[in-house]
Structure formats: structure tokens, C-alpha cells
Amino acid sequence: CIRDSHMPPPDRLKKIRQEILYNSDEFKDIINAPGFKQIYGSIDAEKLSRPPKDFPADFPDIDLLKFKSYTVLHTVESQHILKEDFETYVLKTFRELYPFNRFLNRALEQ
């Protein structure tokens, strides 16, 4: 199972949400990319029932800001491990994850 998770403390979570607020189209492009969706599906995390504090409730992509963490999951089936192209398979899964990680890390660097 390949799992990537950003379960940041409140100050970092706020930075990630701000980055999504300011760059929601970029974030949506990343999580809706065909390769990303095929491998990871969608963000696998709990959501707030209401908009987070200090964020506009009328933001069109408010659901993206309601996540309590930013986690994606991909299960590696055992038959993949035994195939000759396993290295290629793993590289593809991480290649598709890279823009997601880069986006979240950029938020934390600010």
C-alpha cells in the first residue's frame, strides 16, 4: 500500500488551505489528472462539516478546503510485485504523485 499523507498541525494546515484558495485551479488540475485519478482516486481524508475558520464560505471550491488532512492512497496488488515491470509500475505511481507533493510542500515553504 502506497500512502501519502499530510496530516499537518493547524498552522501548516492553514498554509495548505491558503495555497489551495489562491491556486485552486492548479490543485484541481493535479487531483483530477487522469493518471492521478487512475492510481490514487481522490483525497482520502475526513472533512469538516462547515468551512474552516478564516476562509470564505462562498469560495466555489470550499469542499477542497474542508479536508482535515490531505491523504491519497494506492494499494499495490501482490501480482504487481512479482512482475518484471514492477520498477516501472512503482516509478509511474510516484511520478503521478509528484505534482501533488510539490503543491503541498510549496504551501509549507511559504
Side-chain angles (χ1 to χ4, degrees):
C1 179
I2 298 172
R3 184 179 188 93
D4 184 54
S5 176
H6 275 270
M7 296 187 76
D11 61 323
R12 290 185 175 196
L13 182 57
K14 186 172 184 175
K15 286 182 175 187
I16 291 170
R17 288 174 173 156
Q18 286 174 331
E19 189 71 16
I20 294 170
L21 177 70
Y22 301 141
N23 299 292
S24 61
D25 287 340
E26 178 187 358
F27 190 67
K28 288 188 298 186
D29 286 347
I30 291 167
I31 63 173
N32 292 322
F36 185 90
K37 287 195 81 64
Q38 177 188 18
I39 294 171
Y40 298 101
S42 60
I43 296 172
D44 182 26
E46 290 183 45
K47 281 186 166 182
L48 298 170
S49 58
R50 291 178 283 180
K53 182 182 173 191
D54 299 328
F55 289 90
D58 62 347
F59 175 58
D61 296 309
I62 194 65
D63 280 346
L64 294 175
L65 304 181
K66 289 181 178 181
F67 286 108
K68 295 180 181 181
S69 66
Y70 292 86
T71 303
V72 294
L73 175 68
H74 175 72
T75 301
V76 178
E77 303 294 333
S78 59
Q79 69 263 20
H80 286 305
I81 296 170
L82 301 174
K83 289 185 177 181
E84 288 184 27
D85 69 342
F86 181 64
E87 180 180 347
T88 303
Y89 173 81
V90 170
L91 289 173
K92 180 181 180 190
T93 62
F94 284 110
R95 194 174 298 117
E96 292 295 335
L97 184 62
Y98 180 72
F100 181 77
N101 275 339
R102 188 180 66 220
F103 186 94
L104 297 179
N105 286 329
R106 183 179 75 208
L108 298 175
E109 292 170 357
Q110 297 177 11

